[in-house]
Amino acid sequence: MAKKALIERELKREKLVAKYAKKYAELKAIAGDAKRSEEERAAARLELQKLPRNANPTRQRNRCAITGRPRGTFRQFGLARTKIRELAFAGDIPGVIKASW
């Protein structure tokens, strides 16, 4: 089980990303638009730098929904590989079976 503080930190990041998502997308569009003047693009980049660091979506980390493990998480299930294995063997994940060939 991951530390409670690390899980809470990720939840805090998710809230910040959601809060600044619209503004972040607008500024990224302006900064990357070649049709705009260089001054506008530079101003947009400066505004992006003023946003909170944790408002950047790339700072989010996928974690297991059960254990909070940060590595080896499958996006399809939202679980760590160890938990997927346990639940699949128990038959708790529909459509997932042990491979045999």
Side-chain angles (χ1 to χ4, degrees), residues 20-74:
Y20 288 99
K22 186 177 178 185
K23 187 172 185 179
Y24 187 84
E26 289 171 358
L27 291 172
K28 282 293 268 188
I30 292 170
D33 189 5
K35 295 177 183 177
R36 301 227 182 206
S37 69
E38 195 56 42
E39 293 81 21
E40 281 182 308
R41 295 172 70 196
R45 286 193 294 270
L46 283 174
E47 286 296 315
L48 270 172
Q49 289 176 359
K50 290 179 184 176
L51 291 179
R53 187 171 276 181
N54 284 333
N56 192 337
T58 58
R59 289 182 63 94
Q60 286 181 307
R61 182 79 188 205
N62 293 331
R63 289 188 173 270
C64 176
I66 298 172
T67 61
R69 189 178 201 279
R71 295 175 184 231
T73 7
F74 286 67

